[in-house]
Amino acid sequence: MRLERRVFLPGDYLIKQGMMPEGMFFITNHPGVPPGEVEILQREELQDAVDTYKRIPFKGGEKIVGEISLLRDTKATAFVRAKTVCDTELLLRDDYRALVDSKEYGALFKEYLQQVAISRGFSDYTQAMANYDRLEKPKTITM
């Protein structure tokens, strides 16, 4: 398993709604450089109107995007667009599968991603943020 480094400029899409993403992205931090920021958008198709997009609450410090599609093995449920320069590491879909199927870390990694995905399922922003604060990273996985 390996991660692929990808850099996105403001306005670039990491993930596009309705497409099968390549994998999940970890937004990385470097000393002395502000962390990259993304925005999550969902397309709402309205009758007799041009497509509109709604912003989905996303905690600025969150560092993982694309996990929902991997967990559900489905197409992306939203667009992920870079707001600032984003330095990322991409975990490809096949490498994700190998990781969650591993006996050593698979169950812990999948459980952590499920917690992240569940916390994003709240429609109320305040409730979602409270849930993020309760998440703890597994002690055996460093991110």
Side-chain angles (χ1 to χ4, degrees):
M1 179 193 81
R2 65 183 176 87
L3 298 173
E4 290 184 11
R5 183 171 185 231
R6 302 265 177 102
V7 178
F8 295 90
L9 300 177
D12 287 348
Y13 287 90
L14 286 72
I15 297 172
K16 293 185 178 180
Q17 182 176 341
M19 304 293 290
M20 192 64 84
E22 295 178 84
M24 62 184 278
F25 292 90
F26 298 91
I27 301 170
T28 59
N29 290 330
H30 299 286
V33 179
E37 291 183 39
V38 298
E39 59 185 342
I40 311 298
L41 305 166
Q42 278 188 327
R43 181 175 35 229
E44 295 181 317
E45 297 179 14
L46 305 174
Q47 261 185 332
D48 302 324
V50 175
D51 288 351
T52 59
Y53 298 84
K54 70 176 181 179
R55 283 192 190 344
I56 305 300
F58 187 71
K59 187 171 182 176
E62 183 57 53
K63 298 179 186 239
I64 302 171
V65 292
E67 79 290 342
I68 293 174
S69 292
L70 293 179
L71 286 166
R72 296 180 182 167
D73 197 25
T74 61
K75 294 178 180 177
T77 58
F79 292 93
V80 179
R81 183 170 63 192
K83 288 175 71 174
T84 64
V85 174
C86 289
D87 193 359
T88 68
E89 298 288 341
L90 170 64
L91 177 64
L92 292 168
R93 183 174 291 276
D94 290 340
D95 291 330
Y96 162 80
R97 286 188 187 122
L99 181 60
V100 297
D101 289 343
S102 76
K103 293 180 181 173
E104 191 173 359
Y105 299 113
L108 285 171
F109 185 64
K110 190 170 184 178
E111 180 182 337
Y112 174 70
L113 292 180
Q114 287 171 334
Q115 288 179 25
V116 171
I118 288 168
S119 70
R120 291 190 183 155
F122 291 106
S123 57
D124 176 70
Y125 184 71
T126 306
Q127 189 176 5
M129 292 306 96
N131 200 39
Y132 268 116
D133 294 338
R134 288 194 308 266
L135 288 179
E136 290 184 29
K137 292 181 182 176
K139 299 197 182 346
T140 57
I141 297 176
T142 304
M143 296 190 173

